[in-house]
């Protein structure tokens, strides 16, 4: 639903917010921050280059917005989303009215912190993390490396494929990437090597954060699933391809994935994303229709997102030479074969219970050609075709010192563009 908080003409009294590429007043993403000197994590909202502290702001709001600000005065956003999105929606309206009312600048301005002086954290206490595989071009590309004649397995167009990941190793943007050591395949009939991964990779994904909950045994119907989406962040599902290739059969990813996953620290809420909802792309001719429990007309009409995702690399040599980060890819989130609502309906159809702050990864999102491939595995064709960077260096997989920066922006005609901030990480060896 669109309301006055999406008005493209709206202006904030916070310096720099109106021209900000990520956080104008139409965005108002929620996160957990602490001033570096205090180490006291609590809820905040990004506005321009600042963070408005929700602790101090509760007394400037009224009704549910004030109650919501109190719920967000915690080291995670879980309590704010316990009963769904209603409290966060009220908070958005209250904050928008506060941040656009010049008469209130002096009282609220005291609760602004410079983002540069703050640490940012994972926005939720993550109970469970599930990673899906909705990027059909990625699934085809990776499948083709292993099965050139039959890249997509027969279940792909019926089942939103996923696996349960690990919550304890999820970190906010900026966490060091420690190269994992493990078993990798050796020559046929020989025992495996045990060594640091030589095929360390990233995966460009989006994080879908859940709100509310369903009781064990009670599926969320597809028509209600969208109301369980708190919002989105960027997700980098760091992956060790050599460990993965040796361990993944028969039970799927394990140590190749659970050494670290990085999220951008700001939750861009479902309310903020309302102007950027779009139709789910039609399935290609000949593809089966989804089963009944995954079919919903309204979801097909507006269940996808107009979000552009970008991956950049900065190597040690680029840093030393004063080079800007080099873009590896840019592509649309509509590369998802399944909508976020379909993922929630599928995840719960067997009675599995979701909880507030569960993290659902979309899977690597790649477009149809190399300019939009979301991993080095694809960009280097399985390590066979090295990429050349502006310094003349080449890469198949990540070297020590390499930093990967992911960005994303929601863009739609007639709407103010909003950003997700950054999801970055440097390989420290
Ligand atoms: Mn993944």
């Amino acid at each position: 639903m669109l309301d006055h908080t999406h008005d493209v003409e709206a202006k904030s009294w916070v310096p720099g917010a109106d021209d900000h590429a990520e956080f104008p007043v139409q965005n108002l993403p929620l996160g957990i921050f602490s001033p570096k000197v205090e180490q006291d994590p609590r809820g905040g909202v990004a506005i321009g280059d600042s963070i408005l502290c929700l602790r101090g702001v509760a007394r400037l709001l009224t009704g549910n917005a004030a109650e919501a600000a109190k719920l967000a005065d915690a080291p995670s956003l879980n309590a704010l989303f316990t009963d769904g999105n209603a409290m966060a929606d009220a908070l958005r309206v209250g904050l928008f009215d506060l941040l656009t009312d010049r008469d209130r600048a002096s009282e609220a301005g005291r609760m602004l912190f410079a983002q540069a002086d703050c640490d940012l954290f994972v926005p939720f206490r993550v109970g469970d993390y599930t990673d899906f595989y909705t990027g059909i071009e990625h699934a085809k590309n990776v499948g083709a490396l292993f099965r050139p004649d039959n890249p997509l397995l027969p279940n792909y167009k019926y089942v939103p494929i996923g696996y349960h990941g690990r919550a304890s190793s999820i970190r906010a943007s900026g966490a060091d990437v420690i190269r994992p050591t493990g078993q990798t395949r050796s020559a046929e009939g020989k025992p495996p090597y045990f060594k640091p991964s030589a095929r360390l990779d990233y995966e460009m994904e989006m994080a879908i954060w859940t709100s509310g909950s369903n009781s064990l045994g009670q599926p969320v119907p597809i028509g209600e699933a969208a109301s369980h989406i708190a919002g989105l962040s960027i997700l980098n599902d760091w992956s060790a391809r050599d460990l993965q290739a040796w361990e993944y059969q028969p039970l799927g990813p394990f140590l190749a994935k659970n050494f670290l996953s990085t999220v951008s620290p700001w939750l861009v809420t479902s309310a903020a994303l309302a102007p950027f909802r779009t139709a789910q792309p039609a399935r290609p001719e000949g593809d089966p229709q989804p089963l009944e429990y995954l079919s919903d007309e309204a979801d097909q009409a507006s269940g996808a997102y107009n979000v552009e995702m970008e991956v950049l690399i900065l190597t040690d040599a680029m840093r030393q030479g004063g080079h800007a980060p080099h873009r590896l890819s840019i592509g649309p989130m509509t590369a998802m074969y399944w909508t976020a609502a379909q993922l929630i309906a599928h995840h719960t159809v067997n009675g599995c219970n979701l909880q507030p702050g569960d993290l659902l990864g979309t899977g690597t999102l790649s477009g149809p050609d190399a300019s939009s491939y979301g991993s080095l595995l694809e960009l280097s064709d399985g390590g066979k075709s090295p990429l050349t960077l502006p310094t003349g260096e080449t890469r198949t997989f990540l070297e020590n010192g390499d930093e990967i920066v992911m960005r994303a922006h929601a863009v739609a005609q007639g709407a103010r563009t909003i950003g997700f901030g950054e999801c970055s990480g440097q390989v420290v060896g």
Side-chain angles (χ1 to χ4, degrees), residues 152-164:
L152 271 191
L153 293 170
N155 56 6
Y156 190 87
K157 292 175 179 175
Y158 290 95
V159 180
I161 301 293
Y163 69 97
H164 281 123

Side-chain angles (χ1 to χ4, degrees), residues 171-180 200-202 236 238-239 259-263 311-320 325 376 393 395 397-406 422-429:
R171 291 290 180 276
S173 176
D176 285 343
V177 183
I178 300 167
R179 184 181 296 275
L200 183 59
D201 199 357
Y202 61 84
N236 185 344
W238 302 95
S239 299
F259 59 94
L260 179 69
S261 311
T262 311
V263 293
V311 184
L312 305 106
I313 189 169
L314 186 67
T315 69
D316 271 343
M318 291 169 70
R319 206 173 288 115
Q320 282 153 18
L376 285 174
E393 300 171 276
R395 285 291 181 279
F397 294 96
L398 295 170
E399 305 284 342
N400 293 347
D402 290 357
E403 182 181 7
I404 290 293
V405 178
M406 297 177 172
E422 272 189 11
C423 183
S424 69
Q426 186 174 5
V427 182
V428 297

Side-chain angles (χ1 to χ4, degrees), residues 314-339:
L314 186 67
T315 69
D316 271 343
M318 291 169 70
R319 206 173 288 115
Q320 282 153 18
H323 292 266
H326 172 71
R327 182 192 280 169
L328 292 169
S329 68
I330 184 165
M333 193 181 167
T334 49
M336 292 170 70
Y337 191 74
W338 302 97
T339 66

